[in-house]
Amino acid sequence: MASKDAAPEAAGAPPKKRDRTHFLYIFVIVAVLAGIAVGFAFPDFATALKPLGTGFVNLIKMMISPVIFCTIVLGVGGVRQAAKVGKVGGLALGYFLVMSFVALVVGLLVGNVLHPGEGLQLTDELRASGSDQAPGEAEGLSGFLIGIIPNTLVSALTEGEVLQTLLVALLAGFALQALGDKGTPILRGIEHIQRLVFKILAMVMWVAPIGAFGAIAAVVGATGVDALKGLGVIMAGFYITCLLFIFLVLGPLLWAFARVSVFKLLGYLGREFLLILSTSSSEAALPRLIAKMEHLGVSKPVVGITVPTGYSFNLDGTAIYLTMASLFIASAMGEPLALGEQISLLVFMIIASKGAAGVSGAGLATLAGGLQSHRPELVDGVGLIVGIDRFMSEARALTNFAGNAIATVIIGSWTKEIDREQMQRVFAKEDPFNEQSFLDEEESSAAGGDSGKEPVAAK
């Protein structure tokens, strides 16, 4: 009888946890609406609330490096064949390169059809704000490659550089592979650290309503409605292009290669999209994407390599933004770009944008830097879109996030590192994601098992 009584009690515990997090995201929605209202009613006061949003995003960024480090080390270190990791990384980088090119082409086509920017006037004030966005020096390819190497083994974790953390984690993972059984205690320790990191992250998420309120109130208070009227074409065109890219390009690819519905996958990530929408940063949802992809049934090595790498190289939304924004500025200043100039400029920008996917406002700096290096006379035109960049950065972040989620499932399908039965259970809501710990209960209970197994995908 005791066991029968215990079963319902155990089965009843998870729903209570899920209910609490359900309320959290209701609070986020309410906070966003309240922020919009305050922004319109009290613009000066609302602008002063910006530190609330910045503080929340910084709290999330604080967790990025440890999450990536633990995930990659456990994923790579738990695989006995190094070739398997190389295969995943090679497929991921190849896929990212192709999709970035496709995104460029889509942006070029839409931009050349809409001809955004015609008839706009560039004031002296806007010229100054545009010039302020340009960096002092353009970082070349050699600078980019050198920048991947951290100053010390530990500084990659303390400075928050995604690519540096990725490099150190890969080195640590391969070293643990070489150690064999002697490395097992270290893997166990990192598993415990990962659980601690995800628990802290779950606690930080309860500050999301405050951060969302401050971020939305500040941007509405600073821009208002008047600043958006003359720029409606570029905004509408950009949002529509991002939607078309997700559902008409990425969606069919996901179905063709993985037999997964894009609507089911994006529905599963609904809370993450809400978080990105309220903070305007895809980086805020990076830890949750890693945890959710593992819960969905994609193996640790695939998730650990594809997701962090994608945040630096799989910039679909950023590619579309840079394309359309460049055409917009050139057209507005009466100096349209020839096709050859468009291609050379935008390829340079994609290379230069590397880690811009997760940081709000980084796309604007990348745009200014690219124009400065290729067509300096167009840099002043960046001021035309400074006022709406925040709204466009939300679409950028959402598209980048969706692209990385879809890429992870596709790479998992190509490498046969995906548990179809687990995926069906998740989509059928038979195995809900653990919002309290970000870890599967079965994974936690299996902490003493063989590190060579992928806990989630092996269910």
Side-chain angles (χ1 to χ4, degrees), residues 5 10 14 34 36 53 92 104 113 120 133 172 177 199 231 245 251 267 321 335 378 428 435 443:
D5 293 336
I36 293 173
L104 278 173
V113 169
L120 289 181
Q133 299 298 324
Q177 276 186 358
K199 189 62 179 178
L231 299 161
F245 182 78
Y321 165 80
E335 300 182 33
L378 296 180
E435 295 280 355
E443 180 179 346

Side-chain angles (χ1 to χ4, degrees), residues 95 99 243-263 406 410:
Y95 173 87
M99 294 316 299
L243 289 173
L244 292 176
F245 182 78
I246 291 174
F247 292 107
L248 298 185
V249 177
L250 296 181
L253 281 177
L254 180 64
W255 180 257
F257 292 114
R259 283 294 184 266
V260 175
S261 167
V262 66
F263 298 102
I406 291 171
I410 290 177

Side-chain angles (χ1 to χ4, degrees), residues 22 26 33 51 59 62 69 72 74 82 89 93 152 205 215 256 274 280 316 330 371 382 385 403 445 447:
H22 178 67
I26 291 178
L33 296 176
L59 282 173
M62 174 182 72
F69 179 80
I72 293 179
L74 290 175
L93 287 175
T152 68
M205 289 305 301
L274 175 60
S280 192
D316 300 333
L371 289 174
V382 176
I385 60 172
S445 63

Side-chain angles (χ1 to χ4, degrees), residues 152-170:
T152 68
L153 196 66
V154 181
S155 65
L157 301 177
T158 59
E159 294 177 1
E161 293 289 340
V162 173
L163 290 180
Q164 292 183 2
T165 304
L166 181 62
L167 174 64
V168 171
L170 284 172

Side-chain angles (χ1 to χ4, degrees), residues 128-447:
S129 63
S131 300
D132 290 343
Q133 299 298 324
E137 295 181 3
E139 181 188 62
L141 180 60
S142 60
F144 165 60
L145 295 176
I146 293 297
I148 296 177
I149 305 174
N151 293 326
T152 68
L153 196 66
V154 181
S155 65
L157 301 177
T158 59
E159 294 177 1
E161 293 289 340
V162 173
L163 290 180
Q164 292 183 2
T165 304
L166 181 62
L167 174 64
V168 171
L170 284 172
L171 292 175
F174 285 126
L176 286 172
Q177 276 186 358
L179 286 173
D181 292 337
K182 293 181 181 178
T184 301
I186 301 176
L187 281 173
R188 293 291 169 264
I190 294 176
E191 282 180 350
H192 291 302
I193 294 174
Q194 184 190 48
R195 279 193 287 276
L196 172 64
V197 168
F198 276 138
K199 189 62 179 178
I200 295 174
L201 189 61
M203 295 164 61
V204 168
M205 289 305 301
W206 284 96
V207 191
I210 299 175
F213 172 75
I216 295 296
V219 71
V220 173
T223 58
V225 178
D226 292 337
L228 307 181
K229 291 179 180 178
L231 299 161
V233 174
I234 182 68
M235 284 183 62
F238 180 58
Y239 270 77
I240 292 172
T241 304
C242 288
L243 289 173
L244 292 176
F245 182 78
I246 291 174
F247 292 107
L248 298 185
V249 177
L250 296 181
L253 281 177
L254 180 64
W255 180 257
F257 292 114
R259 283 294 184 266
V260 175
S261 167
V262 66
F263 298 102
K264 287 185 178 180
L265 179 62
L266 299 186
Y268 170 61
L269 298 170
R271 291 184 173 183
E272 286 67 43
F273 283 114
L274 175 60
L275 179 63
I276 293 170
L277 189 63
S278 60
T279 62
S280 192
S281 171
S282 61
E283 201 166 59
L286 189 153
R288 291 181 59 88
L289 178 61
I290 290 175
K292 277 204 161 182
M293 288 294 100
E294 290 183 5
H295 176 72
L296 188 63
V298 184
S299 70
K300 275 183 174 292
V302 171
V303 174
I305 294 171
T306 306
V307 174
T309 307
Y311 261 67
S312 289
F313 292 104
N314 191 30
L315 311 178
D316 300 333
T318 305
I320 296 172
Y321 165 80
L322 293 174
T323 305
M324 297 187 66
S326 298
L327 296 177
F328 170 80
I329 291 170
S331 179
M333 299 187 70
E335 300 182 33
L337 297 169
L339 183 59
E341 290 178 316
Q342 293 178 21
I343 295 174
S344 62
L345 170 63
L346 298 169
V347 168
F348 170 84
M349 285 183 174
I350 290 304
I351 296 173
S353 65
K354 54 191 188 307
V359 184
S360 178
L364 194 63
T366 301
L367 173 65
L371 289 174
Q372 184 183 53
S373 64
H374 279 65
R375 292 282 297 273
E377 69 274 16
L378 296 180
V379 173
D380 290 345
V382 176
L384 286 168
I385 60 172
V386 168
I388 61 165
D389 179 72
R390 173 55 186 260
F391 295 95
M392 296 178 74
S393 72
E394 291 174 350
R396 276 202 310 268
L398 292 169
T399 305
N400 288 332
F401 181 81
N404 282 310
I406 291 171
T408 304
V409 176
I410 290 177
I411 301 299
S413 179
W414 282 347
T415 57
K416 302 187 186 305
E417 291 288 325
I418 190 168
D419 186 345
R420 296 284 179 178
E421 293 182 1
Q422 169 66 8
M423 182 178 291
Q424 292 302 321
R425 286 195 296 270
V426 171
F427 285 152
K429 299 183 179 179
E430 297 173 0
D431 186 5
F433 179 70
N434 189 340
E435 295 280 355
Q436 295 297 317
S437 66
F438 288 10
L439 290 172
D440 291 324
E441 294 299 331
E442 292 183 28
E443 180 179 346
S444 300
S445 63

